[in-house]
Amino acid sequence: MLISELLEEYLLEIDARGQSKTTIKTTKDSIDTFIKFTGDISIFKVNKIIINKYIIDQRTRCKNNTINNRIIYLRGLYKYAVEQELIEKSPFKNVEFLKKPKVMIKTYSPDDIQKILGSLKGRDFLTVRNRTLITLLVETGIRNSELCGIKLEDVYEGSIRILGKGNKIRFVPISKPLRLQLLRYMRVRNKYTLNHPSDYLFVNRLRQPMTRPTLLKAIKDIGKKLGVDVATTIHNFRRYFAQQLLNDVDIYIISRLLGHSHLATTELYIRSIEDTTIVEKGATYSPLSKKK
């Protein structure tokens, strides 16, 4: 069996498990880089020497984090081959991950958020929609794909039903600012979609369900106009949400709201908090500083 043949079967398997289209595409793209390096050889010919040569080659092309992610996808592929008894042992089982530098990730500041929201004061559909989707991102920390997938029936009185990675369902709360903005948006949306009804909460200018590229372009255009760095776009809203909640909320609750399976992932989101802020928090909330 060739690697490409195993990959084709594996993609059908993870699709059947309910993995998102984004995950399936990323899995394919990552494993394709390995096939491009080795050639479409038999799955039995992959060994530690070939894997090491691949890693050495990749280190000249991308960051260690990217290489580690590709190793994870390749491990999944060969784990599947073992489970299906196509091979006895995975050559990726004992491959060590490359060291990852601890990077302090910068996110939006409160001033950036106010600047973005303050620029969206119009009453036309697109302006109100954009202010609503940014308010939703700031107030809930949901992913871009999750935002695009929200249907009208998912919006309840005090929460929104979110379909996350791996088709996992969670609920995020509707704050007072978000409730007010949703009310304003629905009033404008109902008029805009009167003759073109849609089940989805957010629609584009053609009254079709909003897609990820449309969402990213809308945010990038706003950031470019205001001079706000939107290089990491949606994930910066997620990080901002996590960091702001950390002032008053336990990290476990933040992790649940973000839809993370592991606390370690949530910790990455709050890593960019400045050292000065951490020192200030330590002084304010030290055991003897607390009021009795």
Side-chain angles (χ1 to χ4, degrees):
M1 174 179 275
L2 301 177
I3 302 176
S4 64
E5 295 172 332
L6 176 62
L7 175 59
E8 183 179 0
E9 184 176 325
Y10 180 59
L11 293 176
L12 289 173
E13 166 69 16
I14 63 176
D15 189 13
R17 290 181 199 165
Q19 294 293 336
S20 68
K21 291 181 180 179
T22 301
T23 298
I24 294 170
K25 183 180 184 304
T26 304
T27 301
K28 182 181 185 305
D29 291 345
S30 296
I31 296 174
D32 277 345
T33 63
F34 184 72
I35 296 175
K36 184 177 180 180
F37 174 78
T38 62
D40 196 9
I41 60 177
S42 167
I43 61 174
F44 303 104
K45 290 185 178 181
V46 177
N47 54 37
K48 191 67 177 292
I49 294 175
I50 290 177
I51 294 170
N52 284 339
K53 286 182 178 180
Y54 168 70
I55 292 174
I56 291 170
D57 174 77
Q58 291 297 292
R59 292 188 72 172
T60 66
R61 304 172 186 272
C62 49
K63 296 179 180 178
N64 287 3
N65 286 359
T66 302
I67 299 171
N68 288 342
N69 287 335
R70 289 175 178 172
I71 291 173
I72 290 173
Y73 290 118
L74 286 162
R75 276 185 178 177
L77 176 71
Y78 270 81
K79 181 182 178 182
Y80 172 76
V82 173
E83 291 171 349
Q84 297 302 308
E85 299 182 353
L86 298 173
I87 57 175
E88 292 185 3
K89 183 179 179 181
S90 169
F92 288 92
K93 186 175 182 180
N94 297 318
V95 174
E96 295 183 0
F97 290 123
L98 302 179
K99 290 184 178 180
K100 299 185 292 184
K102 291 187 176 181
V103 180
M104 182 173 283
I105 306 169
K106 290 287 184 180
T107 185
Y108 295 128
S109 69
D111 287 342
D112 288 334
I113 298 300
Q114 291 305 316
K115 192 175 181 181
I116 292 172
L117 290 174
S119 70
L120 300 168
K121 293 182 178 180
R123 296 181 184 275
D124 61 286
F125 171 74
L126 289 179
T127 301
V128 176
R129 184 205 66 183
N130 289 347
R131 183 180 177 90
T132 305
L133 64 85
I134 288 176
T135 301
L136 180 58
L137 291 170
V138 170
E139 290 290 274
T140 65
I142 61 175
R143 301 178 178 92
N144 53 19
S145 57
E146 294 171 345
L147 183 146
C148 293
I150 297 174
K151 294 184 177 180
L152 294 175
E153 63 184 18
D154 295 325
V155 182
Y156 296 88
E157 182 67 24
S159 62
I160 301 175
R161 179 182 181 272
I162 300 297
L163 184 62
K165 285 186 174 180
N167 286 334
K168 293 180 181 178
I169 295 173
R170 72 183 189 281
F171 289 84
V172 295
I174 298 177
S175 64
K176 290 181 180 179
L178 178 56
R179 183 187 304 279
L180 177 60
Q181 189 56 41
L182 282 171
L183 183 66
R184 291 169 175 166
Y185 170 64
M186 289 306 298
R187 184 169 60 241
V188 176
R189 181 192 181 281
N190 289 341
K191 293 180 180 178
Y192 194 74
T193 61
L194 184 60
N195 298 317
H196 301 81
S198 173
D199 293 335
Y200 288 85
L201 178 62
F202 292 106
V203 296
N204 59 25
R205 66 174 68 244
L206 300 177
R207 299 170 176 82
Q208 298 297 315
M210 174 173 273
T211 61
R212 182 174 177 271
T214 301
L215 173 60
L216 296 180
K217 184 179 185 305
I219 294 175
K220 285 182 178 180
D221 287 346
I222 294 169
K224 187 176 181 180
K225 183 188 295 185
L226 298 174
V228 176
D229 184 9
V230 290
T232 50
T233 56
I234 307 301
H235 264 70
N236 260 356
F237 287 111
R238 279 172 67 74
R239 294 183 183 109
Y240 177 81
F241 169 80
Q243 292 173 21
Q244 294 303 305
L245 253 64
L246 192 64
N247 293 323
D248 305 293
V249 180
D250 180 85
I251 189 173
Y252 175 74
I253 295 176
I254 297 174
S255 183
R256 291 287 299 273
L257 289 171
L258 288 172
H260 287 159
S261 300
H262 306 285
L263 282 177
T265 307
T266 310
E267 289 172 355
L268 291 175
Y269 278 65
I270 62 177
R271 182 176 290 168
S272 63
I273 295 178
E274 300 287 354
D275 290 342
T276 53
T277 304
I278 294 174
V279 171
E280 289 171 4
K281 282 181 175 290
T284 302
Y285 297 104
S286 70
L288 296 180
S289 295
K290 293 180 179 178
K291 293 182 179 179
K292 302 292 185 181

